[in-house]
Amino acid sequence: QVQLVESGGDLVQPGGSLRLSCAASGSIFSINNMGWYRQAPGAERELVAFISSGGSTNYADSGKGRFTISRDNAKNTVYLQMNSLKPEDTAIYYCNAKIILRTGAFVDYWGRGTQVTVSS
């Protein structure tokens, strides 16, 4: 019914930048919060940032000052601009969206993830 497709993950050197994108498609009535989570090897999935439908944002301490989340409601797309990347940012980054379907159901969707590797 709904798909979240992430893109933008890559191998980048420390201090570099990446921009992740996540587009939602399908039987969507509206989207509430959209966000990014990440999971490093051997670690639990953790919140990176989320943004409300009105544009309010919230960041984990690890990304404050370096990451910027934004969204394009017309395109049902959320972005994560990551600057000054560090090796500890290496993880699989997952998109999350809290979606109200055209059926009226409220569902929490996840993308399949995109790999970000920060290494020299």
Side-chain angles (χ1 to χ4, degrees):
Q1 290 178 326
V2 172
Q3 282 190 319
L4 299 183
V5 179
E6 300 113 327
S7 61
D10 205 345
L11 169 64
V12 63
Q13 292 187 344
S17 298
L18 283 176
R19 188 191 195 210
L20 306 183
S21 300
C22 171
S25 62
S27 184
I28 298 170
F29 176 74
S30 66
I31 304 178
N32 290 351
N33 287 0
M34 300 185 81
W36 291 94
Y37 290 72
R38 68 186 184 186
Q39 188 167 18
E44 293 187 354
R45 191 173 296 188
E46 63 177 9
L47 173 70
V48 176
F50 69 83
I51 183 168
S52 72
S53 57
S56 298
T57 58
N58 187 287
Y59 296 91
D61 288 343
S62 58
K64 284 182 180 177
R66 300 187 299 126
F67 296 173
T68 302
I69 190 169
S70 61
R71 66 190 281 175
D72 184 333
N73 290 333
K75 295 181 179 180
N76 290 336
T77 299
V78 63
Y79 306 95
L80 184 68
Q81 177 68 43
M82 302 187 292
N83 299 327
S84 302
L85 283 161
K86 305 174 182 180
E88 51 263 44
D89 294 317
T90 296
I92 299 174
Y93 283 69
Y94 296 92
C95 175
N96 173 263
K98 303 184 187 310
I99 296 175
I100 299 175
L101 302 178
R102 291 174 184 168
T103 61
F106 181 85
V107 183
D108 201 10
Y109 281 96
W110 291 89
R112 291 189 173 185
T114 185
Q115 177 71 49
V116 171
T117 302
V118 184
S119 175
S120 54

